[in-house]
Amino acid sequence: MHWVTLAAVLLAIAAALVVQGYAHHLTTLAESSAPAAAASPAPAAALHGGPVIDPREGVDTVTPHQRTIALTFDDGPDPTWTPRILDVLRKHHVHATFFVVGTAAAEHPDLVRRILDEGHEIGMHTLTHADLTTSPQWRANLEMAAGQSAIAGATGETTALFRPPYSSEPDALDAADWQIIRSAGQDGYLSVLSTLDSEDWRRPGVQRIVANATPQGDAGQVLLMHDGGGDRSETVAALDRLLTQYAADGITATSVSAATGLKGVMRPAATAEQWSGTALIATLWGSAWVVGAIGIALVLSGIVMVVRAVLVLFAASRHRRRAREVALRRTWTHDGIVSVIVPAHNEAAGIEAAVRSIAASRRPVEIIVVDDGSTDGTADIVEALGLPQVTVIRQPNGGKPSALNTGIAAARGEIVVMVDGDTVFEQDTVERLIQPFADPAVGAVSGNTKVVNRGGVLGAWQHIEYVVGFNLDRRLFDIAECMPTVPGAIGAFRIETLRRVGGVSDDTLAEDTDLTMAICRDGWRVVYQEDARAWTEAPASLGALWRQRYRWCYGTMQAMWKHRGAVLQKGPAGKLGRRGLGYLLVLQVILPLFAPVVDIFAVYGLLFLDPTRIAVLWLAFLALQLGMAVYAFRMDGESLKPLWTLPLQQVVYRQMMYLVVIQSLFTALAGTRLRWHRMQRYGTLTVPPAVTTG
């Protein structure tokens, strides 16, 4: 059901974007350029007749009365210029005809109503000011019907007056223009052309507009001016002068119907027409709100990503300097026992390599392998190694937290290291991992987890994620003192700390995150030791990766909810709550939830906005990711070769990760108890080359 819900939401957003794209940006998409000869040529009666044309029965044309100007304004309403033009008309007690664009009428219905309330009349100028002569028939029909609907929805009335966009005088009609006029006539429209063009759209200056709009002789004219489509300050100034001049010259300026004697050009809209218009306006308003909200969210998410990059890089640099300083003066030696606990359930593929690598540590350790009801001979493999420092404990299958608690109970060391059964250590890993415990305030230490099976595109992607995402974030968390997770692959804990928090809880599927948060809330510091490396197997198939990340993500959400009270606490707990949980909420929950919308908006931008700008923004985002990746790889001493897969990661892997977050959130909201998904083992683990087992 959650996928159906997601699909419905994304389709609704896509529909809103398409509506806005069409309404405000689409002017040439799917246009055709059929030759004018394909249509009937304009008849002589239209070419040499009046500017108001009725093509329904033959060709009837009408010309304004002598010494009369039919004053018309196109491309509005505009919230800035239409009110000023209306003020000038009211000042001179003159009425006019406004040929409104449907989208503008829908955005500013109050202005359209004001036009009518002040005695003016409305004409239709299509929905988006499309050039109907080059548009396919479906679009021409849509432009006409939707343009009228917008007027009906805004005013409760419809109009019989229509002005084709980009039209001019009757004698300029060609075959394509005539085809539009004929088609409009079949729908009951009178097409209103112009005979006097003020050319205010050129912004030639007030004096030039006045000269262009001054008639020569006594013949009636239809004057073309504009109240929308750009800066119309010159139009407003010129109109005031013109109306004063017309009055002085005895010229009547009025609307099209008054100038020609036409009746009934405006009529009340039928109920269906009004409902249709209201629905259109609501759709345009709703889609505009959606696009606006997405725009704001995109800006905010961009800011968050840039701020995160700056914080992470700053913290990583500071953490690295601090780590070097500590390494130079490292003198602390732990004289007590270090216990390494390996919980194992059906780990036959890698358990030998894991145990041998730990046993080969330069720092002597006690190794406790807790076999949690394995059915593949895991415990037998470990016992057959005959390693004296290794103890095998068998127990019925009770889950990983149960196995860890069994190991903790059996541990003799003051420091406990927990390691997964699919992980191998280097010789110095344990010694380096326990160094931070020289500070008595430190309760737990996270090591540096590396992907061992990093071959292929999927392996490279996970390798990048571990180095760039997980480890950079851990450096930030360490500096900010709000570490939310010590990974199960490699972590060290004071036994005292574990006992104070009650051991490992099975309340969540992310027992490592749950445990770490509990330790922070108990007042302990949790730090990151970057030179303590462990090598682990990563999922080798998309299905296995999905199951692993689903468990991680869902478990993290459970832990965040369980420890939400830390937000109101003080000290280390408060740092975890306000810094760590806040970071996880924004970066690992909210932004991934918004990611599908970003992708849809990117497609929208390529279709309706400036494709070059969209491509540049995407490349800038990729460059930011690449810069962070190069820095992180250099810090970890890694080869940069896997970074060639980074662009693909942004268009494949990222989508998979945000779908995991979405499914996890729906699972959490539904209150479903997710079962444990055990990862398949591949047997790729080997004892690190530098390690010798004697």
Side-chain angles (χ1 to χ4, degrees):
M1 192 62 199
H2 58 273
W3 294 126
V4 175
T5 303
L6 174 63
V9 170
L10 293 181
L11 285 173
I13 292 173
L17 291 172
V18 168
V19 168
Q20 281 298 297
Y22 185 93
H24 294 286
H25 306 287
L26 177 60
T27 56
T28 58
L29 186 64
E31 291 182 355
S32 62
S33 299
S40 302
L47 290 170
H48 305 297
V52 182
I53 304 172
D54 183 354
R56 289 173 293 184
E57 297 179 5
V59 179
D60 291 330
T61 68
V62 180
T63 301
H65 306 310
Q66 284 195 336
R67 300 192 64 75
T68 301
I69 297 289
L71 193 57
T72 66
F73 295 91
D74 285 9
D75 299 352
D78 181 276
T80 299
W81 306 113
T82 301
R84 298 186 186 184
I85 287 173
L86 289 172
D87 291 342
V88 173
L89 293 174
R90 181 168 55 187
K91 171 184 173 182
H92 292 272
H93 308 289
V94 169
H95 292 147
T97 301
F98 289 79
F99 288 94
V100 300
V101 175
T103 52
E107 289 179 3
H108 309 289
D110 54 327
L111 288 179
V112 186
R113 288 191 290 269
R114 179 182 169 183
I115 289 171
L116 288 183
D117 291 343
E118 295 187 5
H120 309 286
E121 64 189 8
I122 300 292
M124 195 265 290
H125 203 40
T126 73
L127 178 67
T128 67
H129 201 275
D131 186 352
L132 302 184
T133 62
T134 59
S135 298
Q137 191 59 47
W138 68 264
R139 187 180 181 196
N141 294 340
L142 175 61
E143 289 285 334
M144 297 292 289
Q148 184 72 275
S149 288
I151 295 171
T155 66
E157 298 189 39
T158 60
T159 180
L161 301 180
F162 165 63
R163 172 167 285 163
Y166 308 104
S167 61
S168 58
E169 301 178 1
D171 58 7
L173 290 173
D174 60 18
D177 296 325
W178 179 245
Q179 182 66 26
I180 297 303
I181 291 174
R182 283 186 58 192
S183 178
Q186 292 171 1
D187 293 331
Y189 289 102
L190 302 175
S191 293
V192 181
L193 306 181
S194 62
T195 58
L196 201 60
D197 188 354
S198 69
E199 297 188 0
D200 61 342
W201 51 277
R202 295 181 184 272
R203 299 191 63 202
V206 174
Q207 186 173 348
R208 184 74 258 172
I209 294 174
V210 171
N212 292 338
T214 300
Q216 304 298 317
D218 295 336
Q221 306 285 348
V222 176
L223 174 61
L224 171 61
M225 301 187 83
H226 296 81
D227 66 323
D231 185 346
R232 298 300 175 219
S233 56
E234 292 180 357
T235 302
V236 174
L239 179 63
D240 192 30
R241 289 175 55 178
L242 275 170
L243 294 180
T244 300
Q245 179 179 306
Y246 289 163
D249 294 342
I251 297 173
T252 301
T254 188
S255 64
V256 169
S257 61
T260 58
L262 295 173
K263 304 294 184 182
V265 297
M266 299 288 297
R267 66 170 180 82
T271 302
E273 292 174 321
Q274 192 162 351
W275 276 103
S276 175
T278 302
L280 173 65
I281 292 176
T283 299
L284 291 172
W285 272 83
S287 63
W289 183 89
V290 169
V291 173
I294 291 174
I296 294 173
L298 281 173
V299 171
L300 292 176
S301 62
I303 293 173
V304 168
M305 294 302 294
V306 172
V307 170
R308 173 190 178 264
V310 172
L311 287 176
V312 165
L313 293 178
F314 170 78
S317 176
R318 183 177 174 185
H319 187 274
R320 189 181 192 186
R321 290 196 304 269
R322 190 176 71 180
R324 286 176 174 175
E325 293 171 358
V326 171
L328 289 175
R329 63 174 185 267
R330 182 178 292 165
T331 58
W332 184 73
T333 301
H334 178 59
D335 296 329
I337 298 173
V338 175
S339 301
V340 180
I341 301 173
V342 186
H345 176 71
N346 291 338
E347 300 283 0
I351 193 65
E352 179 177 350
V355 173
R356 284 190 179 277
S357 72
I358 300 168
S361 297
R362 288 197 174 97
R363 208 269 180 224
V365 294
E366 156 186 77
I367 303 173
I368 303 172
V369 178
V370 182
D371 183 85
D372 191 49
S374 297
T375 58
D376 64 351
T378 295
D380 297 333
I381 293 173
V382 177
E383 290 175 341
L385 297 177
L387 297 173
Q389 68 269 55
V390 177
T391 300
V392 177
I393 300 176
R394 300 173 186 256
Q395 70 173 34
N397 180 243
K400 187 176 180 181
S402 172
L404 288 170
N405 286 328
T406 297
I408 292 170
R412 295 183 297 117
E414 297 174 1
I415 296 176
V416 171
V417 175
M418 299 182 187
V419 55
D420 288 340
D422 61 345
T423 304
V424 295
F425 279 5
E426 297 175 357
Q427 283 184 320
D428 293 329
T429 296
V430 174
E431 182 64 27
R432 291 169 175 169
L433 186 63
I434 66 174
Q435 285 303 308
F437 289 114
D439 181 353
V442 173
V445 182
S446 167
N448 186 343
T449 309
K450 297 286 189 179
V451 174
V452 67
N453 53 332
R454 58 182 67 174
V457 174
L458 185 60
W461 285 342
Q462 294 178 83
H463 173 43
I464 293 172
E465 185 178 28
Y466 272 71
V467 174
V468 180
F470 299 158
N471 289 336
L472 275 184
D473 279 349
R474 287 195 182 102
R475 290 179 172 93
L476 173 62
F477 292 140
D478 190 346
I479 294 297
E481 300 182 12
C482 60
M483 185 79 67
T485 304
V486 172
I490 176 172
F493 307 84
R494 292 187 190 275
I495 194 73
E496 174 193 357
T497 303
L498 294 173
R499 289 168 179 163
R500 281 180 51 168
V501 299
V504 183
S505 170
D506 63 356
D507 291 342
T508 74
L509 288 181
E511 81 292 329
D512 48 4
T513 300
D514 187 1
L515 175 61
T516 308
M517 291 183 179
I519 290 171
C520 287
R521 295 188 70 185
D522 194 49
W524 298 93
R525 278 200 63 202
V526 180
V527 300
Y528 174 57
Q529 189 69 18
E530 61 184 51
D531 61 356
R533 289 180 290 269
W535 298 81
T536 188
E537 275 191 330
S541 68
L542 289 176
L545 177 63
W546 178 279
R547 290 189 294 272
Q548 182 197 64
R549 298 312 169 86
Y550 183 24
R551 175 175 62 81
W552 285 4
C553 185
Y554 181 71
T556 298
M557 289 182 182
Q558 288 179 307
M560 290 170 64
W561 181 253
K562 177 180 177 180
H563 296 284
R564 64 191 183 278
V567 174
L568 302 177
Q569 291 182 268
K570 298 179 180 179
K575 293 177 181 178
L576 169 71
R578 291 181 288 278
R579 299 175 187 176
L581 297 187
Y583 186 93
L584 293 178
L585 178 64
V586 173
L587 273 299
Q588 295 190 21
V589 178
I590 295 177
L591 283 187
L593 289 176
F594 184 62
V597 179
V598 173
D599 291 342
I600 292 177
F601 195 87
V603 175
Y604 162 79
L606 292 174
L607 291 176
F608 298 116
L609 303 176
D610 183 353
T612 302
R613 182 178 298 178
I614 297 299
V616 168
L617 287 174
W618 188 83
L619 289 174
F621 173 76
L622 182 61
L624 178 65
Q625 298 295 311
L626 181 60
M628 292 179 63
V630 170
Y631 186 76
F633 269 58
R634 289 300 189 196
M635 278 203 307
D636 269 20
E638 296 283 356
S639 168
L640 301 181
K641 291 181 180 179
L643 295 183
W644 73 267
T645 64
L646 191 61
L648 290 175
Q649 189 186 47
Q650 300 303 312
V651 296
V652 179
Y653 191 80
R654 186 177 66 87
Q655 282 73 11
M656 181 177 180
M657 292 302 103
Y658 70 56
L659 289 176
V660 166
V661 174
I662 291 169
Q663 183 169 2
S664 299
L665 182 62
F666 272 97
T667 303
L669 293 176
T672 305
R673 179 73 176 183
L674 188 67
R675 66 182 180 85
W676 182 272
H677 294 296
R678 182 186 173 277
M679 198 186 86
Q680 180 182 353
R681 305 306 186 197
Y682 309 100
T684 60
L685 292 176
T686 58
V687 178
V691 175
T692 58
T693 59

